[in-house]
Amino acid sequence: QVQLVESGGGLVQAGGSLRLSCAASGSIFSINSMGWYHQAPGKQRELVAEITSGGIINYASSVKGRFTISRDNAQNTVYLQMNNLKPDDTAVYYCNAIVRTTAERYEYLYWGQGTQVTVSS
């Protein structure tokens, strides 16, 4: 029904930058919030940033001032610009979206497959 595909991960040195993208496709009627989570080995998945359809944004305290989330509603795409990356940012990054499909009356949460971000010291 709905697919989320992330791209833009990779290996970068501390202090460097990466830009992640996540495109939603399928039988989409509307998208509420979209967000990014990360999960380091042995740890729980945690919120990085989220943005509502109206542009309200929430960041984890650990990334404020370094990461910027944005979205293109026409393209059903959410971005995460990550600057001044630190080794502690190393994790698999997942996007999610709360989506109402054309076949449903209700919204459901969908996840992407994840993209690896590795920051070397």
Side-chain angles (χ1 to χ4, degrees):
Q1 289 182 330
V2 176
Q3 298 80 39
L4 300 181
V5 178
E6 299 111 331
S7 60
L11 173 64
V12 64
Q13 289 187 333
S17 298
L18 285 174
R19 188 186 193 218
L20 305 183
S21 299
C22 172
S25 62
S27 303
I28 297 171
F29 179 80
S30 63
I31 300 179
N32 192 335
S33 66
M34 303 184 80
W36 291 96
Y37 283 67
H38 66 195
Q39 186 169 19
K43 295 187 177 181
Q44 291 187 336
R45 193 174 297 188
E46 298 177 334
L47 173 70
V48 175
E50 59 187 354
I51 181 169
T52 68
S53 57
I56 298 173
I57 292 173
N58 180 39
Y59 291 106
S61 58
S62 61
V63 307
K64 281 183 180 178
R66 299 189 298 124
F67 292 9
T68 302
I69 189 171
S70 60
R71 64 189 280 178
D72 182 335
N73 291 327
Q75 298 295 324
N76 292 331
T77 300
V78 63
Y79 304 97
L80 186 68
Q81 177 66 43
M82 305 186 294
N83 298 329
N84 190 21
L85 281 159
K86 303 176 181 180
D88 283 348
D89 295 319
T90 295
V92 178
Y93 283 71
Y94 298 90
C95 74
N96 71 7
I98 298 175
V99 180
R100 179 184 171 188
T101 67
T102 55
E104 299 286 346
R105 295 178 57 189
Y106 303 104
E107 298 175 327
Y108 294 92
L109 177 65
Y110 294 87
W111 290 92
Q113 81 288 351
T115 185
Q116 178 69 45
V117 171
T118 302
V119 184
S120 63
S121 57

